[in-house]
Amino acid sequence: MNPIYAAMGTTIFEAMSARARASGAINLGQGFPDGTGPQAVLKAAADALTQRSNQYPPMAGIPELRQAVANHYARHQGLNLSPDEVVVTSGATEALAAALLALISPGDEVICFQPLYDAYVPLIERAGGVPRFVALQPPEWRITAEALEAALSDRTRLVLFNNPLNPAATMASAEELALLADFCVANDLIAVCDEVWEHVTFDGARHLPLIGFPGMRERTVKIGSAGKIFALTGWKVGWMCAAPELLRGLAKAHQFLTFTTPPNLQWAVAEGLNTQDDWVQAARHNFQRSRDRLKTGLEKLGLVTLPSAATYFLSIDLTASGIAQDDVDFCNHLLDTVGVAAIPVSAFYAQDAVTNVVRLCFAKEDATIDGALERMAKLRETVG
């Protein structure tokens, strides 16, 4: 077996979810929401199965979905994308894999920001690249010019950038984005931007895509996810957007990974992007309400939380909460003793991990959140 994969264990998400299922714990670990998603999108998928073709769609995606993606970003982010600058993929992770395989040559270095999605490092290494890490620190998790320069070498070719940043539940500021854009332009780097959480933002904040900053239009790969936009994580429909010269190479990698994506889901996502802006806005408000419900409940238990500007996640600062355990021990204790599954944020680091932050998913029904809080009320009896 390839040594990169042979040395890997089961992902922390699957491991904690399996333990939660086996023990009957409430799962606030893996990031999937309760609920069924927008009914109009589900109906469009069901109708397409019986009323449209189920044979291979075009490799780059059905034209209607590619146009819908371009129109969606024009409305919401002011981007002027052509449908010919969009390739549909089987989820955002496939888009990431295609982009990295297409853009990395052996020995190329890729700057990544920790904490990071756990697929990044094995994908970079399998493509022959070398990850170089910028470690972000709580509670601000901010990018600095000094950290970027320290990660740079004459072999740096790419920046892999997740914004909003999943494990930290934060959004890069306009100043940080401008800094990163200037850094990419000055050093002739391509930015691969994992922006799947772009619509799950709170408190009136608006996502700013790096591709829209000066100098970045021709050197950015923008990756999105219908699963996150419509809370349908199991559908695995994503896309990558880039200027034609970049996209041609990305499409060649995509055609030898999944080649295409189920056509009925593509039709349904096109329907959703064209008609469900109100549902997306309402979902954002509902997620924010759930965030606030969990935050209030945790604070009543004496647990200190970090800011959550986006995503489905809220984190506990163990040190500030007066808990001496590290995040792994705390999560094991929480699951085994209290019956709630969470994720240690140290799992999102390849090196020099932060070990005092624990991540919880709040994209749940009120009863699930309240049940978890009721169980967690026993924490102070069992942990110091």
Side-chain angles (χ1 to χ4, degrees):
M1 182 178 289
N2 184 283
I4 293 170
Y5 296 120
M8 293 177 62
T10 303
T11 70
I12 188 67
F13 315 109
E14 179 57 28
M16 297 301 281
S17 291
R19 289 174 61 189
R21 289 190 296 269
S23 65
I26 295 174
N27 190 357
L28 299 188
Q30 193 168 11
F32 59 88
D34 290 341
T36 59
Q39 290 299 308
V41 176
L42 302 181
K43 184 177 186 302
D47 290 347
L49 275 175
T50 57
Q51 298 173 18
R52 296 185 183 272
S53 172
N54 287 287
Q55 307 309 321
Y56 293 128
M59 179 270 291
I62 63 170
E64 291 82 355
L65 178 51
R66 297 167 74 194
Q67 182 68 65
V69 169
N71 292 346
H72 180 84
Y73 286 140
R75 288 198 311 278
H76 291 279
Q77 297 175 12
L79 299 178
N80 181 25
L81 294 171
S82 158
D84 293 332
E85 295 175 300
V86 179
V87 167
V88 178
T89 59
S90 292
T93 302
E94 194 244 314
L96 285 163
L100 295 172
L101 287 169
L103 296 171
I104 293 173
S105 295
D108 285 352
E109 294 185 359
V110 182
I111 294 177
C112 311
F113 300 88
Q114 298 187 116
L116 43 67
Y117 178 40
D118 64 348
Y120 290 173
V121 172
L123 288 174
I124 291 167
E125 291 178 341
R126 192 64 187 91
V130 179
R132 295 296 182 217
F133 301 108
V134 173
L136 308 180
Q137 298 295 323
E140 293 86 7
W141 311 99
R142 292 307 179 200
I143 300 168
T144 66
E146 294 77 15
L148 290 175
E149 291 297 334
L152 182 69
S153 82
D154 58 4
R155 293 183 295 174
T156 306
R157 296 291 178 269
L158 304 177
V159 172
L160 178 51
F161 181 52
N162 179 207
N163 185 45
L165 179 60
N166 166 359
T170 191
M171 297 175 66
S173 66
E175 292 75 17
E176 289 172 287
L177 292 167
L179 172 68
L180 187 56
D182 290 346
F183 177 76
C184 290
V185 172
N187 295 287
D188 195 22
L189 306 179
I190 294 173
V192 177
C193 294
D194 177 356
E195 300 185 351
V196 298
W197 299 102
E198 58 196 346
H199 282 296
V200 191
T201 62
F202 308 128
D203 305 312
R206 175 173 169 264
H207 173 73
L208 300 175
L210 191 64
I211 197 172
F213 278 69
M216 296 306 295
R217 183 65 171 80
E218 305 300 318
R219 62 175 67 249
T220 301
V221 180
K222 175 178 170 59
I223 292 173
S225 166
K228 297 299 191 295
I229 292 174
F230 300 117
L232 296 167
T233 60
W235 277 27
K236 302 298 290 182
V237 178
W239 47 79
M240 44 190 176
C241 308
E245 184 176 351
L246 269 181
L247 199 66
R248 280 192 291 273
L250 306 182
K252 290 175 183 177
H254 160 67
Q255 72 180 336
F256 294 119
L257 285 170
T258 63
F259 178 70
T260 191
T261 297
N264 71 306
L265 299 183
Q266 293 196 53
W267 288 110
V269 171
E271 172 73 13
L273 293 176
N274 287 331
T275 68
Q276 296 301 303
D277 283 358
D278 288 345
W279 186 94
V280 172
Q281 179 71 359
R284 177 187 294 118
H285 291 311
N286 286 335
F287 289 135
Q288 180 175 320
R289 186 185 62 82
S290 294
R291 178 203 64 177
D292 294 344
R293 189 183 194 92
L294 180 59
K295 177 181 174 65
T296 298
L298 292 172
E299 290 174 348
K300 286 180 179 178
L301 299 178
L303 297 170
V304 177
T305 62
L306 296 176
S308 171
T311 77
Y312 296 156
F313 307 111
L314 180 69
S315 291
I316 300 170
D317 183 330
L318 298 178
T319 304
S321 301
I323 296 173
Q325 289 178 318
D326 69 21
D327 58 346
V328 173
D329 287 342
F330 179 86
C331 286
N332 287 331
H333 181 89
L334 187 66
L335 182 57
D336 295 335
T337 306
V338 179
V340 176
I343 299 292
V345 167
S346 61
F348 299 99
Y349 283 77
Q351 62 186 37
D352 303 323
V354 168
T355 61
N356 67 313
V357 178
V358 168
R359 194 192 79 171
L360 300 172
C361 177
F362 55 73
K364 306 296 180 184
E365 299 292 342
D366 289 353
T368 302
I369 293 173
D370 293 346
L373 289 168
E374 183 177 348
R375 295 186 182 193
M376 292 178 71
K378 304 171 186 175
L379 269 176
R380 288 302 184 187
E381 303 170 9
T382 60
V383 68

